[in-house]
Amino acid sequence: MENVSKKNHEEYKYSEDKYEDLSLRDAQMLMVSILKDVDEICEKHNLKYFLDAGTLLGAVRHKGFIPWDDDMDIGMLREDYEKFLKIAKEELPEHLFLQTFDNDKNYDIYQVPCKIRYNNTILIEKNIAENHDMHNGVYIDVFPYDSLPKKGWVYKFQRMLSYNVLKSFIRLRETPEKLSFKNKITFTFYKAITKIFTVKRREKFFKFLVNWNDKNSPYMGYGLDTVWSEYVYRKEDYFDLIKLEFEGEHFYGPKNADAILTQLYGDYMTLPKEEERVWHAKVIKKLKV
């Protein structure tokens, strides 16, 4: 992964002896710098993004990262998200890499359709099969959000379709070493699905499902190309967005963060027990200077 740039990103394998440990705090500050570049692009092109999930919680409860958090999440409504992907390809600075299934042929974290990675760094997550062929740099996640269809049954049906396609890819990525006879049959089905839905076909399929949505719906949720169908929010709790303090900077967040965080976490201002304060990464490194 040495000296990766937007123009040279076919291989991301790295030699561990050329890397040194990076502290969690330094990794967090790199994530903030990534978001500052994203914020600049969005401001320039009038695109709306918002702090999401644990990052939103960190902004409200800590005015920055949850101390043990090692990732950063933002969301965008589908229209802004699609525009951002096109613009970011050209306007992200050279030290950052826009990671999608189109831009990184080896990328296989299927439930997250877009990450922005910091070149010449490494962040390997726990509980995810390692893949040293894809870009593994320190990152922020960029999630699309979709308006909901007019009918609830349509939402359930389109989510059932999209989830089962994604589930096939995700389960194959995490295939256990030993499979029972029943699981062998199941994984044969998963393999058939992944053969049918190449990257381009999967993309077209999700776009087809997105067309069922009603842009005027008062409700929104994570995009159909993610796996989180259970989270449905009122748009009026998000827009118009407001600026929230985060690590001495200010980034956009929902105007009614309390409603969203309460829905997500319940009593979100109470800290979890110490044994529950864990992070995802098992390796965080940077290229030696």
Side-chain angles (χ1 to χ4, degrees):
M1 201 174 79
E2 292 96 37
N3 299 319
V4 174
S5 75
K6 291 186 292 183
K7 298 177 182 178
N8 179 24
H9 58 260
E10 288 304 311
E11 296 293 337
Y12 308 110
K13 293 181 181 179
Y14 65 92
S15 302
E16 288 199 30
D17 61 344
K18 294 182 180 180
Y19 283 76
E20 60 187 358
D21 289 340
L22 183 67
S23 72
L24 174 61
R25 186 58 179 165
D26 286 342
Q28 289 175 340
M29 292 301 97
L30 287 181
M31 294 173 204
V32 172
S33 74
I34 296 172
L35 185 53
K36 286 173 68 176
D37 285 319
V38 171
D39 175 81
E40 185 176 329
I41 289 173
C42 289
E43 290 278 24
K44 177 181 175 182
H45 295 279
N46 196 30
L47 304 176
K48 294 180 180 179
Y49 74 89
F50 45 85
L51 302 182
D52 193 25
T55 307
L56 177 61
L57 174 58
V60 173
R61 193 170 68 192
H62 304 273
K63 295 190 183 300
F65 281 98
I66 298 170
W68 53 91
D69 202 3
D70 61 359
D71 68 0
M72 201 172 201
D73 303 316
I74 64 170
M76 298 181 184
L77 280 175
R78 176 70 61 179
E79 185 176 349
D80 287 326
Y81 174 80
E82 297 293 347
K83 290 177 182 177
F84 174 77
L85 292 185
K86 293 177 181 178
I87 294 167
K89 278 185 182 179
E90 304 300 325
E91 297 194 15
L92 277 177
E94 288 289 325
H95 65 275
L96 299 181
F97 176 62
L98 180 72
Q99 186 173 48
T100 65
F101 302 106
D102 287 329
N103 298 348
D104 184 348
K105 66 181 182 180
N106 296 307
Y107 181 52
D108 63 358
I109 303 179
Y110 297 103
Q111 62 270 40
V112 184
C114 177
K115 291 178 181 282
I116 300 175
R117 301 272 193 177
Y118 204 102
N119 291 332
N120 300 322
T121 64
I122 298 166
L123 193 154
I124 305 294
E125 297 179 65
K126 300 173 185 174
N127 303 319
I128 292 182
E130 291 187 25
N131 175 1
H132 294 285
D133 292 325
M134 72 177 183
H135 196 310
N136 279 293
V138 171
Y139 64 88
I140 70 171
D141 287 327
V142 184
F143 291 106
Y145 270 71
D146 285 328
S147 298
L148 268 59
K150 291 181 179 179
K151 303 290 187 181
W153 70 266
V154 176
Y155 179 68
K156 291 179 181 179
F157 182 59
Q158 66 177 180
R159 279 292 182 173
M160 181 270 292
L161 293 173
S162 64
Y163 174 76
N164 279 287
V165 170
L166 282 172
K167 180 183 177 182
S168 297
F169 284 90
I170 293 167
R171 291 299 304 277
L172 282 178
R173 187 188 198 278
E174 308 297 333
T175 305
E177 289 185 12
K178 293 183 179 180
L179 294 173
S180 66
F181 177 73
K182 181 180 178 181
N183 280 340
K184 284 181 180 179
I185 295 174
T186 303
F187 274 83
T188 299
F189 173 74
Y190 291 153
K191 286 179 182 178
I193 293 295
T194 59
K195 292 292 184 182
I196 294 169
F197 288 97
T198 61
V199 171
K200 291 297 182 184
R201 285 178 181 169
R202 193 170 71 239
E203 198 174 82
K204 287 181 180 180
F205 181 62
F206 290 145
K207 285 182 178 179
F208 168 71
L209 294 179
V210 166
N211 287 333
W212 299 1
N213 293 333
D214 176 14
K215 289 184 179 180
N216 296 317
S217 171
Y219 298 102
M220 58 189 256
Y222 282 101
L224 282 157
D225 38 358
T226 72
V227 295
W228 298 284
S229 61
E230 65 270 35
Y231 301 111
V232 174
Y233 305 102
R234 297 183 303 174
K235 286 182 182 176
E236 65 181 26
D237 286 332
Y238 279 81
F239 305 104
D240 287 330
L241 302 172
I242 61 172
K243 286 274 190 172
L244 297 174
E245 183 179 347
F246 194 96
E247 300 294 350
E249 305 290 341
H250 287 83
F251 301 111
Y252 284 103
K255 73 174 184 181
N256 190 358
D258 176 69
I260 294 157
L261 291 173
T262 299
Q263 182 177 338
L264 272 172
Y265 303 109
D267 180 16
Y268 61 88
M269 292 302 288
T270 299
L271 291 172
K273 297 176 183 177
E274 284 198 29
E275 60 267 24
E276 296 174 359
R277 302 175 193 179
V278 297
W279 55 83
H280 307 100
K282 59 183 174 182
V283 175
I284 309 177
K285 292 181 178 291
K286 65 177 180 178
L287 191 67
K288 292 178 181 177
V289 178

